[in-house]
Amino acid sequence: MTNEDKLKELLKSRGIDASGMTDEAATPKQAEGCGKLIDIYYTLKNTVDMEFPYWYNRVWQENGSDVIIVRRAKALAAAFAHLTPTIQPYERLVMNKTRHVRGAFPFPWVTASFFNAQAEALMKEASAPSESEADSVSIIGAGGGNVTKSYGNIISIAKKFGMRKEEIPVLVKTCSYWDGNSVEEMSNHYAKYTPQFDIEQAIMDSVLCMFDSYCIPQGREVINYYLPLQYGWDGIIELCDRRIAETMGESDGDGLMGMERGYYYVAMKHLAQGLSRWCQNYADRAYYLASVETDAALKKNYEEIGGVMAHIAHKAPSTFRQALQLTLACHYAEVNEDPQSGQSIGRLGQVLQPFYEKDIDDGVTTEEEVIELLEFYRIKITCIECFASAGVTGGVLSGNTFNNLSLGGLNRDGLSAVTPLEYHIIEAGMRCRTTQPTLSVLYDEKLPESFLLKAAACTKQGTGYPAWMNNQDGMNFMLMNYGPEGMNIEDARAWCLGGCLESSPGCFLPLRYNGKVTWIPGGAGPTAGSGVHFVGLPKMLELVMTNGYDRRINKQVLPAHNRKLDSMEAIQEEWVRYMNLTIDVLNKVNNLQMDIWRKYCPPVVSSLLKADCFAKGRGLGMMGGRYNATINFESCGTVTFVNSMASLYRNVFKDKKYTLEEMLDAMMHNFGFKTSYETGVFSPDFREATDEAPKYAQIFADCVNAPKFGNADWEADQFLKWYEDVMFGLTRQYKSYYGKPLYMCQISVSTHGPQGFITLADPAGRLAGTTYSDGSVSAAAGTDKNGIYAIFESATIYDHSTQQNAQMNLKLHPSAVKGPQGTRKLLDLVRAYMRKGGFHVQFNIVDSKTLKKAQAKPENYRDLMVRVAGFTQYWCEIGKPIQDEVIYRTEYDD
Amino acid sequence: MKHIDCKNYIYLDCEKGMCALSKMMLPIDGKGSEACPRFVMAEKCGCCANFDGCDEHGIGTCAGFEKKNWTYASCGAAGCEHFKMR
């Protein structure tokens, strides 16, 4: 008997099902149809077209006499109802954002200034003759679906999307209507009234803060599927009629929001009608395709699709497949409302369990068929694209849209919430390896071992999912943050991830189906983001050292402090002072942006799909959701900052080897090396010396050798503790547009690339322009010398449940977790971190040599995926700075 | 006519689509983009009886609704309640 067999026997004797610990090779291949769709997917370009914005714009324009929420609902409903339905052969689940598979579109009602400023240039480009025929039909190169340059009849938009030339005049004409009226421009108008607006502008110019709130006003939140699953679109329309009759003209004793209810229900009725028509259009298209199809199997498939779509166009679902398709329709509806990332699916395996259970019991479907549908679901979610600026789409999101599906956690009664369907969701993720939805396990000691082993087996396949989140930390954060709004322990149990790592509030609602009531979890609050978007902590330290002057752009960004920085305390005080000022000015402007958004571009779809809005008759933007203290402050480069502080402490103040001026001089001269701007390499391990290198050799060595976070060394770790304690109180002094305190969101997403790019060399020896450390508690690459458990020790030096999240990335060599014993080892590793109170850990289980080969020849690695910081993305679709950073992360092989 | 104007054309991206009948990839531009004998006109604003006054950019007027408004020829109209094939 092998060791692996012995282990399985041992687990079995303890009542643990070890089937999840399958060998890597034992996972079945993806369903045949999925394989065909993925093969097509790999050839597709991200495409922007104008159908949706055209219809939105037209109907918005034509309904100026409506109150705004109704006007917007009509515009959205028309846009959904007029979208051209696209169904590919072999698809079993259907619908898209647009008529293109990886489609997207601009949202000029949110931001139009770029297109209006570029209108003439765009029209000129559209009118220019195409290149040669050969050129016009071929473009070859790295980047997967990204259209980074214009070619032939395709215009590159935001360095990611292709738009056909004939659509450019439509883009220009549509956007011109919004000139001066978009959320961006209206909020800019009022932002100028905020005190110290000039400082806010300088901060944005320096990229000390990454982007404005209006860029992606929604997302980082969790959908609530309860209403459509319970009532269907026709049922919702009937409910609206009833509520309109009850509330229209009635203030209900409330002089403001009471009267709003009637308008809200009128808006919801229009929206439900539009969504119903959208589903029906897919049914009609499916029936047409069936009518011309000669292959019997494909014909049957189209007919089934037609049946599903025709049913959910009106009625509540009565099968698992219908329910899954309806949730997908809701998801696409959400992501078409505004530019957004991180519209999360929530705990889908718990929401749909009643439908799955009934179909299995009735023999309507089989477990294999369910897994297959869930594979198709993965492909549909992977196809979701977000159209935003190049900086947001590429620099922040790396092209991903963070549609997170959470698993596990606890149910309303405080017991394990794991369902049989959730095993299948993981299995589908193992068979059909796509970037989305990413999976997140809400780890709790109460979860079944077999489920955790299954999840670990999936993680170790190298897909980057599931990531692991600490359920108790999450619940504690919920109670602390939403307790003042009345959250109790039951609702706290309904939390999950919105976006990659944005812990979001939820609640349980009673789904009546199959003769019983099941309390299903779902989202209960607006975006758990959209506050201050990514402040570069190391850049802030740089500004402290340069008296507020940004030497990269030669501009005074923050007011000169003119203080002699003669102690660590002085540096800390000035850093806090600068941070206070930065949050103050940014928060005011972002509050204005989001206030204009909720008033003039109110959320409608998400006001239907969020707990309590419908019951109250109040939109999500007007605090119709159950919990509203959701707005955050996002940081970037935590450990780069901590290491810099540790080096200053050691080299300048403790050992007194250098003066602060000498340190600054070395930083300004990049320690005698070429900058990454000059070399084009963003990896911390690449250095090309200049003639000045010998002059700075000793100080560089001392900086590199100073204590570093991640080695269980208090001298470095103390600065993380100090930072977290300070920021806990500091962020809570500022109020969001909902009048609730901010809190910290500590995910880097991809901002550690661009924000590293704008930051000069730092006191820890990181060179100018190179990428920051990722996450918030990942060790800076190559600096963790004492093993993984030392990183855990350093990371948990503060209470993770005090903030929305903390992010830890680890890279393991596949050999470290090989075989069934490796699965157990991986789970033990996760468990050890969770037991110490760590909030989150995610893994890249990949050989660095493979990544280097893939960087050299991306065309040979189209399907290679990596975990960045909270999401999984195709290697060939992420920018080089992040690629360099992932390659350089410390790789553990034992 | 081109494949992209056919009812059996399945949109994929800005470069290409697929024929629902043959399952072949179809380029939008250049060689191979011309429609085949099995062509069936797709519902688009450009072939609607309510569409008029098309300019050099493909933008014209839609008179199919209570309020006239501009539209563009390549806009899909499969879901339009007032579409009438010209």
Side-chain angles (χ1 to χ4, degrees):
Chain A
M1 187 182 270
T2 65
N3 286 341
E4 289 167 7
D5 291 336
K6 283 180 192 167
L7 180 64
K8 282 185 178 175
E9 281 294 312
L10 180 66
L11 290 170
K12 199 176 169 186
S13 69
R14 294 181 183 175
I16 297 169
D17 175 8
S19 58
M21 297 170 59
T22 48
D23 192 82
E24 288 82 340
T27 303
K29 281 190 174 174
Q30 65 205 4
E32 190 187 348
C34 289
K36 287 179 175 163
L37 293 174
I38 287 178
D39 286 345
I40 292 169
Y41 175 87
Y42 288 151
T43 73
L44 298 180
K45 299 296 176 196
N46 299 315
T47 299
V48 169
D49 80 87
M50 291 300 295
E51 272 189 358
F52 195 97
Y54 165 75
W55 275 104
Y56 181 99
N57 191 57
R58 176 174 176 165
V59 174
W60 174 270
Q61 262 185 305
E62 291 174 355
N63 288 278
S65 58
D66 270 311
V67 297
I68 285 182
I69 191 169
V70 176
R71 189 179 181 187
R72 182 149 152 89
K74 283 184 177 176
L76 285 164
F80 285 117
H82 289 92
L83 273 180
T84 298
T86 290
I87 303 174
Q88 294 182 69
Y90 315 108
E91 281 193 312
R92 303 212 68 209
L93 295 169
V94 296
M95 304 184 86
N96 299 299
K97 264 180 78 91
T98 72
R99 62 187 175 188
H100 299 104
V101 178
R102 295 187 73 178
F105 54 86
F107 298 83
W109 46 94
V110 174
T111 173
S113 66
F114 171 80
F115 296 113
N116 286 325
Q118 301 292 318
E120 204 176 321
L122 284 165
M123 287 298 283
K124 222 178 254 178
E125 204 171 353
S127 304
S130 338
E131 300 162 30
S132 69
E133 282 293 309
D135 286 347
S136 73
V137 294
S138 59
I139 183 163
I140 301 164
N146 294 338
V147 181
T148 54
K149 289 178 186 167
S150 299
Y151 61 98
N153 288 320
I154 317 292
I155 309 291
S156 171
I157 306 275
K159 297 182 185 171
K160 177 178 170 70
F161 294 95
M163 177 178 251
R164 294 197 56 78
K165 277 185 177 177
E166 58 266 28
E167 302 238 358
I168 295 291
V170 186
L171 169 71
V172 170
K173 196 169 171 64
T174 305
C175 290
S176 68
Y177 172 80
W178 296 96
D179 191 15
N181 302 317
S182 66
V183 172
E184 172 198 15
E185 288 172 287
M186 284 179 77
S187 53
N188 282 348
H189 174 71
Y190 289 101
K192 288 173 187 158
Y193 291 100
T194 57
Q196 299 177 301
F197 180 63
D198 55 330
I199 295 176
E200 194 271 352
Q201 291 290 285
I203 287 170
M204 300 311 289
D205 289 346
S206 73
V207 201
L208 173 60
C209 175
M210 195 69 200
F211 65 96
D212 289 297
S213 285
Y214 67 78
C215 294
I216 42 174
Q218 296 202 60
R220 287 80 68 209
E221 60 195 279
V222 183
I223 300 178
N224 195 309
Y225 299 111
Y226 171 75
L227 277 175
L229 286 177
Q230 185 68 77
Y231 299 103
W233 300 130
D234 283 1
I236 289 171
I237 292 165
E238 279 176 37
L239 280 177
C240 287
D241 282 336
R242 208 180 308 159
R243 294 287 173 93
I244 289 166
E246 289 166 3
T247 60
M248 193 61 88
E250 290 278 355
S251 67
D252 200 28
D254 174 349
L256 191 61
M257 296 314 295
M259 291 300 292
E260 294 290 323
R261 293 173 302 164
Y263 311 132
Y264 168 88
Y265 292 119
V266 172
M268 293 305 118
K269 181 178 175 180
H270 282 291
L271 177 69
Q273 287 170 330
L275 295 175
S276 170
R277 270 186 62 191
W278 188 33
C279 293
Q280 185 60 51
N281 290 343
Y282 270 90
D284 295 345
R285 176 65 175 169
Y287 287 135
Y288 170 76
L289 290 170
S291 73
V292 297
E293 183 57 62
T294 53
D295 179 281
L298 288 176
K299 190 181 187 76
K300 181 169 174 280
N301 188 41
Y302 285 134
E303 285 169 349
E304 285 176 2
I305 290 169
V308 168
M309 295 310 295
H311 183 99
I312 67 161
H314 301 283
K315 298 175 192 162
S318 57
T319 66
F320 171 75
R321 182 172 173 181
Q322 288 170 2
L324 183 63
Q325 177 67 67
L326 182 59
T327 64
L328 194 54
C330 293
H331 199 101
Y332 278 122
E334 281 273 18
V335 296
N336 271 15
E337 182 166 39
D338 277 328
Q340 56 181 277
S341 66
Q343 187 57 256
S344 282
I345 296 152
R347 291 154 69 163
L348 190 73
Q350 295 158 30
V351 173
L352 296 185
Q353 171 65 22
F355 299 93
Y356 162 79
E357 183 182 288
K358 182 174 189 303
D359 282 8
I360 293 290
D361 288 350
D362 293 351
V364 169
T365 190
T366 65
E367 296 192 3
E368 274 303 311
E369 283 172 352
V370 167
I371 293 169
E372 189 177 297
L373 276 179
L374 292 167
E375 290 181 55
F376 281 104
Y377 181 81
R378 294 198 61 80
I379 296 172
K380 296 310 296 183
I381 298 292
T382 295
C383 289
I384 294 174
E385 299 291 342
C386 171
F387 183 91
S389 66
V392 172
T393 307
V396 180
L397 314 179
S398 270
N400 200 286
T401 49
F402 320 136
N403 304 272
N404 202 337
L405 193 159
S406 296
L407 306 155
L410 299 182
N411 64 19
R412 189 165 174 261
D413 299 326
L415 303 174
S416 165
V418 169
T419 64
L421 184 57
E422 289 184 308
Y423 286 78
H424 295 332
I425 289 172
I426 296 174
E427 179 66 22
M430 293 170 79
R431 294 186 191 182
C432 185
R433 301 178 193 189
T434 57
T435 54
Q436 298 198 69
T438 191
L439 304 177
S440 296
V441 170
L442 309 182
Y443 175 91
D444 197 282
E445 293 286 330
K446 293 182 180 177
L447 302 194
E449 194 73 356
S450 61
F451 174 78
L452 295 171
L453 284 167
K454 177 86 183 169
C458 183
T459 299
K460 76 172 197 172
Q461 285 198 336
T463 51
Y465 58 75
W468 300 75
M469 286 76 174
N470 190 322
N471 188 53
Q472 292 296 322
D473 277 0
M475 285 171 50
N476 286 339
F477 173 73
M478 290 293 132
L479 288 169
M480 183 193 69
N481 202 59
Y482 300 103
E485 291 185 83
M487 182 176 276
N488 60 18
I489 186 70
E490 285 181 357
D491 277 5
R493 290 173 184 142
W495 81 284
C496 70
L497 282 309
C500 8
L501 257 178
E502 286 91 335
S503 304
S504 297
C507 67
F508 294 96
L509 292 172
L511 181 79
R512 289 169 177 82
Y513 182 74
N514 195 23
K516 60 183 176 184
V517 172
T518 307
W519 289 86
I520 59 169
T527 173
S530 291
V532 176
H533 288 289
F534 300 103
V535 169
L537 309 179
K539 183 72 182 178
M540 187 74 80
L541 179 61
E542 176 193 308
L543 290 171
V544 169
M545 294 177 73
T546 58
N547 209 14
Y549 189 83
D550 187 339
R551 303 207 183 184
R552 187 183 70 92
I553 58 169
N554 293 318
K555 186 170 187 173
Q556 189 73 37
V557 171
L558 296 172
H561 54 69
N562 295 323
R563 179 175 178 183
K564 187 170 172 51
L565 301 170
D566 53 4
S567 67
M568 211 52 219
E569 290 73 24
I571 288 175
Q572 288 169 304
E573 282 169 17
E574 285 311 315
W575 190 90
V576 170
R577 217 186 305 271
Y578 270 0
M579 181 59 84
N580 248 317
L581 175 62
T582 299
I583 298 179
D584 188 27
V585 297
L586 290 174
N587 186 51
K588 283 177 180 146
V589 171
N590 284 305
N591 275 350
L592 270 173
Q593 291 170 352
M594 293 302 287
D595 191 51
I596 294 290
W597 163 77
R598 67 175 173 168
K599 284 178 176 150
Y600 295 94
C601 187
V604 175
V605 180
S606 55
S607 293
L608 182 68
L609 302 175
K610 206 72 80 175
D612 288 8
C613 287
F614 199 88
K616 290 181 193 168
R618 188 187 293 191
L620 191 63
M622 292 298 155
M623 299 173 71
R626 188 171 297 185
Y627 302 109
N628 297 286
T630 56
I631 308 303
N632 63 21
F633 162 89
E634 296 164 337
S635 60
C636 178
T638 308
V639 167
T640 299
F641 166 65
V642 165
N643 286 344
S644 295
M645 295 292 275
S647 175
L648 285 175
Y649 174 68
R650 168 63 74 93
N651 287 310
V652 178
F653 299 108
K654 187 180 174 199
D655 291 355
K656 297 185 171 42
K657 285 186 86 169
Y658 307 99
T659 64
L660 198 63
E661 289 68 30
E662 287 169 332
M663 179 65 80
L664 189 57
D665 175 64
M667 289 162 56
M668 293 303 120
H669 290 86
N670 204 32
F671 296 102
F673 296 102
K674 286 187 179 174
T675 65
S676 60
Y677 321 121
E678 294 164 312
T679 64
V681 181
F682 302 91
S683 175
D685 68 335
F686 181 84
R687 294 170 195 131
E688 197 174 330
T690 69
D691 295 343
E692 289 188 314
K695 181 182 168 189
Y696 297 105
Q698 189 55 51
I699 189 170
F700 180 66
D702 287 331
C703 287
V704 168
N705 293 327
K708 296 284 187 286
F709 169 87
N711 295 291
D713 179 349
W714 170 253
E715 190 172 334
D717 298 347
Q718 65 175 316
F719 291 103
L720 177 66
K721 174 96 172 88
W722 165 78
Y723 163 76
E724 295 288 346
D725 290 348
V726 163
M727 291 300 285
F728 176 82
L730 198 153
T731 49
R732 280 168 173 75
Q733 292 171 26
Y734 297 95
K735 302 290 187 292
S736 73
Y737 52 99
Y738 291 125
K740 310 287 183 193
L742 304 185
Y743 54 81
M744 277 231 286
C745 170
Q746 310 187 84
I747 58 174
S748 63
V749 200
S750 299
T751 57
H752 53 303
Q755 292 202 300
F757 186 85
I758 55 98
T759 305
L760 303 179
D762 69 34
R766 181 196 134 275
L767 299 186
T770 57
T771 306
Y772 291 165
S773 57
D774 65 273
S776 72
V777 285
S778 308
T783 64
D784 38 337
K785 311 285 189 192
N786 294 341
I788 287 176
Y789 289 89
I791 304 175
F792 291 175
E793 201 69 35
S794 293
T796 52
I797 202 160
Y798 76 99
D799 178 5
H800 286 200
S801 67
T802 53
Q803 307 292 4
Q804 185 181 30
N805 47 42
Q807 189 170 43
M808 159 94 70
N809 292 320
L810 289 175
K811 191 162 84 174
L812 307 179
H813 191 278
S815 64
V817 289
K818 195 169 183 297
Q821 284 175 302
T823 309
R824 163 61 61 187
K825 205 156 69 173
L826 183 62
L827 178 56
D828 286 345
L829 192 66
V830 170
R831 180 170 276 142
Y833 187 51
M834 297 285 137
R835 283 179 175 169
K836 284 191 72 64
F839 174 72
H840 157 272
V841 61
Q842 64 188 20
F843 299 91
N844 267 304
I845 299 180
V846 61
D847 183 349
S848 295
K849 287 177 193 162
T850 304
L851 298 180
K852 283 179 184 164
K853 284 183 199 165
Q855 195 174 45
K857 291 197 169 181
E859 63 276 17
N860 293 347
Y861 293 86
R862 180 61 185 84
D863 60 349
L864 178 66
M865 301 188 295
V866 291
R867 193 75 179 173
V868 183
F871 63 97
T872 295
Q873 182 56 302
Y874 291 110
W875 177 257
C876 63
E877 296 199 7
I878 56 178
K880 189 168 184 299
I882 300 296
Q883 284 187 348
D884 286 346
E885 181 266 314
V886 174
I887 289 173
Y888 190 54
R889 285 179 193 171
T890 306
E891 179 179 283
Y892 288 91
D893 58 7
D894 191 5
Chain B
M1 299 306 288
K2 290 187 151 198
H3 290 304
I4 195 172
D5 299 313
C6 177
K7 189 162 181 169
N8 297 317
Y9 179 86
I10 297 170
Y11 284 90
L12 292 178
D13 66 13
C14 53
E15 291 177 345
K16 62 188 171 294
M18 181 189 282
C19 174
L21 306 180
S22 69
K23 316 295 181 289
M24 299 285 286
M25 290 284 190
L26 307 171
I28 297 175
D29 300 308
K31 197 178 168 187
S33 63
E34 296 301 317
C36 78
R38 291 195 284 178
F39 178 85
V40 179
M41 183 69 83
E43 299 94 338
K44 290 188 182 182
C45 290
C47 57
C48 177
N50 293 313
F51 182 69
D52 194 22
C54 185
D55 69 10
E56 75 272 24
H57 297 303
I59 292 177
T61 302
C62 166
F65 290 76
E66 192 184 330
K67 293 175 187 172
K68 275 190 183 180
N69 213 323
W70 69 272
T71 187
Y72 60 108
S74 60
C75 185
C80 183
E81 59 274 42
H82 295 297
F83 177 81
K84 276 188 232 160
M85 187 66 82
R86 185 178 289 159

